[in-house]
Amino acid sequence: MIGLVDCNNFYVSCERVFRPDLIGKPVAVLSNNDGCIVARSNEVKALGIKMGVPLFQVRQLVDQHQIQLFSSNYT
């Protein structure tokens, strides 16, 4: 038997488990070198920020909407 689980906003959801104060706030998780956005909360998606976009291209939106950024954390 094989199981496949596809989690929406997986890395954002993981951050929110440890930081419940982030629930309902815009949160994004960055790639290994903090160069690109690899996970977005629904609040960030609603702002039109696309998956994989380089951070420098959306820095103004991040600052304007106080988006919480996190480095990817695989542990």
Side-chain angles (χ1 to χ4, degrees), residues 6-41:
D6 184 12
C7 299
N8 192 23
N9 314 329
F10 180 74
Y11 289 113
V12 170
S13 298
C14 291
E15 291 295 335
R16 287 177 169 171
V17 166
F18 298 106
R19 297 265 320 269
D21 60 300
L22 297 173
I23 295 171
K25 295 181 181 174
V27 178
V29 177
L30 303 171
S31 60
N32 289 346
N33 295 322
D34 291 345
C36 298
I37 294 178
V38 296
R40 305 157 296 148
S41 66

